[in-house]
């Protein structure tokens, strides 16, 4: 949960996005959603559709926004229905993420051009936009950060029409009894404040299960390393016998095979290591 001073004074409800089930319970109420990623826009849309009295999104920094239909179309090109899924997976995996990032950065203007109509609606409502920190687009942000973007499926229309208000470039500073005070000194009176500000990393979650003594020896998990591979995933984690599997269905389908080969090699005595990637020894 985002730590904001004087939260205990607030007479309304405060939730994290993980606790949000439906906007039905907040019909007629004034809602503030802190965050501007996938969770935030989904919640804002649901609140509007369920009859909230007012919905305001607080966007602390710029967001990469692309149309869900556009992104889905691009994915269908990579996974056509007449190509077996395992073949499509293999072809997709043949593109190194590091090279893909360079290509996407080079093609940044085309990405902006493809989203002009959508972005005009968002800018009308005050949303600040980016195409990734380096211009790499939404897909690489999913792989590098897992946040800072949203796939639009009608939220832009609600923002352009004023059904979702946007306060951009500000952040929560404190609560009062009736409102959330922002960094520019303004107050947003609210009955419900929802923090859609991200989730903890799986290393933190597993610290509760395995303890700091174990997890403290593991590498960072998720994001892209200097080799263009997913950090700490499907490879030695830093602690013997502990492996992390991250990513979406495509990543799981392809990389689980690599993980299975490593485990089998260890079982057969072909691959020996002390839990660290640099400590692996191939006996062939």
């Amino acid at each position: 949960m985002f730590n904001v001073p004087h939260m205990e004074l607030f007479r309304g409800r405060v939730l994290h996005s993980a606790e949000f089930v439906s906007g039905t319970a907040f019909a007629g109420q004034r809602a503030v959603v802190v965050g501007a990623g996938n969770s935030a826009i989904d919640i804002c849309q649901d609140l509007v559709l369920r009859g909230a009295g007012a919905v305001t999104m607080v966007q602390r920094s710029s967001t990469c926004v692309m149309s869900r239909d556009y992104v889905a179309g691009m994915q269908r090109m990579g996974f056509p229905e007449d190509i077996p899924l395992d073949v499509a997976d293999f072809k997709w995996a043949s593109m190194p993420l590091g090279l893909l990032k360079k290509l996407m950065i080079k093609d940044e203007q085309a990405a902006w051009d493809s989203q002009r109509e959508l972005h005009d609606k968002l800018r009308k409502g005050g949303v600040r936009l980016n195409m990734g920190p380096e211009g790499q687009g939404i897909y690489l942000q999913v792989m590098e950060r897992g946040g800072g973007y949203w796939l639009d499926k009608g939220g832009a229309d609600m923002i352009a029409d004023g059904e979702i208000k946007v306060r951009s470039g500000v952040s929560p500073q404190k609560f009062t009894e009736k409102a959330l005070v922002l960094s520019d000194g303004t107050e947003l009176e609210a009955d419900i404040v929802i923090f859609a500000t991200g989730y903890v990393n799986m290393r933190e979650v597993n610290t509760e299960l395995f303890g700091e003594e174990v997890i403290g020896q593991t590498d960072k998990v998720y994001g892209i390393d200097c080799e263009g591979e997913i950090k700490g995933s499907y490879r030695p984690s830093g602690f013997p016998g502990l492996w992390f599997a991250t990513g979406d269905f495509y990543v799981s389908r392809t990389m689980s095979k690599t993980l299975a080969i490593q485990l089998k090699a260890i079982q057969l005595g072909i691959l020996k290591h002390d839990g660290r990637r640099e400590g692996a020894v191939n006996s062939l």
Side-chain angles (χ1 to χ4, degrees), residues 12-113:
R13 292 187 62 185
V14 179
L15 300 176
H16 185 270
S17 55
E19 302 170 281
F20 181 85
V21 177
S22 169
T24 302
F26 310 113
Q29 297 186 24
R30 300 162 297 178
V32 173
V33 180
V34 180
N38 265 329
S39 295
I41 191 62
D42 284 352
I43 291 171
C44 285
Q45 285 183 251
D46 191 65
L47 287 165
V48 170
L49 292 172
R50 304 297 179 183
V55 179
T56 302
M57 171 188 284
V58 177
Q59 183 192 34
R60 294 168 294 164
S61 57
S62 62
T63 309
C64 180
V65 184
M66 301 188 83
S67 162
R68 178 185 61 180
D69 293 339
Y70 174 82
V71 173
M74 297 294 289
Q75 289 182 321
R76 290 190 187 100
M77 292 175 61
F79 296 88
E81 294 185 4
D82 59 341
I83 300 296
L85 186 58
D86 58 338
V87 175
D89 280 344
F90 187 79
K91 292 174 67 176
W92 191 272
S94 69
M95 170 61 75
L97 292 176
L99 175 58
L100 178 61
K101 181 175 181 177
K102 292 180 179 180
L103 294 174
M104 295 301 294
I105 291 173
K106 185 176 181 181
D107 209 29
E108 178 184 359
Q109 188 57 51
W112 282 110
D113 293 343

Side-chain angles (χ1 to χ4, degrees), residues 201-203 218-223 230-233 237 244 246:
N201 185 274
M202 63 192 307
R203 289 179 78 246
T218 62
D219 300 326
K220 291 183 178 180
V221 177
Y222 207 68
I230 305 174
K231 294 178 181 177
S233 306
S237 68
F244 290 106
T246 65

Side-chain angles (χ1 to χ4, degrees), residues 182-195:
L182 303 179
S183 54
D184 62 357
T186 59
E187 297 187 11
L188 293 176
E189 292 194 355
D191 302 297
I192 173 72
V193 177
I194 302 166
F195 287 92

Side-chain angles (χ1 to χ4, degrees), residues 225 227 229-237 243-244 262 277:
D225 66 13
E227 296 178 337
E229 301 292 341
I230 305 174
K231 294 178 181 177
S233 306
Y234 306 97
R235 63 189 189 189
S237 68
W243 306 77
F244 290 106
Q262 293 176 84
R277 190 181 184 198

Side-chain angles (χ1 to χ4, degrees), residues 160-172:
D161 293 341
E163 294 178 289
I164 299 173
K165 305 292 185 183
V166 178
R167 294 298 315 277
S168 184
V170 291
S171 59

